[in-house]
Structures are given as structure tokens and as C-alpha cells.
Amino acid sequence: LDASRIGRLVLGTPAIYGYGGSSDVATIRAGEFVWTGLAVAPGAAMPDTLGDGRLNIAASRIVFGYGPNTQPGNQVVDNRIALGFTDVTFTASESVTSTNKSTLSVYHRQGEYVAGTGYQYSGGNLTVATPLLTGAAGSGNTLTAGGDIRIIGSGGAAVPAAALGAQLKLAGANILIDSSVVLPSGHFTVNASGDIVLGGNARLDLAGRAVPMFDITKYSWGGDLILTSSAGNIRQEAGSTIDVSAE
């Protein structure tokens, strides 16, 4: 789907299912891509025919949340799942952000249903290629993959981000962060079963900001960073930076 000439493409669905072969690639292009999920469970996939292809979504700006002129509830979590793909890639030349409480899960296969916990999933790698991964003020976003997660640069320059208090969580097998994650006074959690690597281009900025208020300036707190590996290593390469200082 090539909607690159459209200013904004809003996709309102809780699920994208893939049924293609290993050489198949599904691509969506847009000026701005907004993926709005749902709080309710999606329609059932056909697990016996789930595919082995790839899903690529490319835009100047990718938003997990809502488009303009909408009134989402701030207590509702909008869920999304991409299932039946070996690899899912989001490429944004400007930024990837969230605007409310959101989740995205990427899996290759669906397993058995377990009472009390739901379907079991496995596989599926997630790549987010962007110069800036961030979130709107007070938003919360969770990105989960059955395989590896890579947060890498896309060649563009990161724009300033000043929205306070966003939360972001990554959960996967091995996780590489090699781009800018900017969550001023925010909360960033990374959970991996394998290795966590902060590449040389990683910039984790959770520092506080100066906040002008009429004739005075107040200063926000430093954010929180939690890196957890259950069975691997955590490595910070030369050139990467972590800033959780208060302004």
C-alpha cells in the first residue's frame, strides 16, 4: 500500500496477520502513519496458515495512538499485534512516538491456548529505525517481540523532544538500542531474556527539563531507567550516553 502522497494514514485495527511465504514482503508507506489499536481482543487468526513473510511500515512520522481531533480515554490501553511475520520493521525519517496508553506485540507463531493466560506466542523480530523514539506527555507504550528488538537510527537527525513523563517499555529476547530514546522526566524499562546492548549511537535521555510558568521557571525531575537481562549480558559501548539527571 503506497499512501506516501497522503499527508496522514490512520489505521484503526488491533491486528495485522501475515499469511505469506518466506519471500513475501508486505509494505505500507505514508507521510504520517498512525496505528490506532483497540482495547478488546482482535478477531482470531488462522494459526495453521500463519506465514513466514515480512512486514515493513515506512513514514516520516509513526504514531502509536490517535490522530488529531480525537478524544481518546486516558484509562484505556489500546493493544496491537502483528502476527505471522518473521520480521516487522517500522522506519521513520523523523520520529516514532505514542500518544496514549498503547501496546504493540510482534510474533511469528501462535501456540496453544492456556486458560488464564491466553494464547502462547513465539518468534518474530521487531526493528524500529528512527532518529528519535519518544512519547507524548503522560503516554505509556509497550513494545514486545517474541524474538529480538532493534532500535536503530534511520539516517535523519533527532528533533528536540520536551514532553514530560512518558513511559516506554521494551520486552524481547536480545535487545539492541543504537539510536536516541528521549523521554524527559520519563520512565524507560528494558527487559530481555538475552543480551541488552547500548550501541555507540545510543542516547538515552530521561533528564529533567526547565519548565517556564508565567514569570518563573520550574525544573522537572530526572527520569528512571531500568535494564534487566534474565540470562544474558548488559553492555554499554563507547560513545553511548545515559542521562537521568534533574534539570
Side-chain angles (χ1 to χ4, degrees), residues 36-218:
T36 301
L38 290 176
V40 298
M46 297 182 289
D48 294 338
T49 57
L50 286 171
D52 301 300
R54 292 172 290 160
L55 173 64
N56 294 333
I57 296 176
S60 59
R61 185 169 181 264
I62 295 175
V63 179
F64 296 108
Y66 292 82
N69 305 316
T70 58
Q71 294 181 324
N74 58 10
Q75 300 301 317
V76 176
V77 178
D78 291 313
N79 301 309
R80 303 159 191 79
I81 185 171
L83 175 62
F85 302 98
T86 57
D87 295 275
V88 174
T89 300
F90 293 87
T91 302
S93 59
E94 295 181 8
S95 65
V96 174
T97 187
S98 62
T99 60
N100 66 314
K101 299 183 184 302
S102 300
T103 72
L104 168 66
S105 300
V106 173
Y107 299 111
H108 183 202
R109 288 288 179 258
Q110 176 180 298
E112 297 296 324
Y113 182 85
V114 177
T117 60
Y119 286 105
Q120 304 301 296
Y121 298 98
S122 63
N125 302 313
L126 170 63
T127 298
V128 179
T130 179
L132 175 65
L133 180 57
T134 186
S139 65
N141 194 16
T142 299
L143 305 179
T144 303
D148 297 339
I149 296 178
R150 299 191 312 146
I151 310 298
I152 59 176
S154 63
V159 298
L164 301 179
Q167 300 184 35
L168 175 63
K169 179 178 180 180
L170 306 180
N174 300 293
I175 299 178
L176 167 67
I177 302 172
D178 200 27
S179 187
S180 295
V181 179
V182 181
L183 306 164
S185 298
H187 191 97
F188 186 29
T189 302
V190 182
N191 292 328
S193 57
D195 294 340
I196 298 174
V197 177
L198 305 183
N201 297 309
R203 181 171 70 96
L204 309 187
D205 181 2
L206 292 89
R209 297 292 193 270
V211 183
M213 302 177 65
F214 300 102
D215 58 341
I216 62 173
T217 298
K218 295 291 186 178

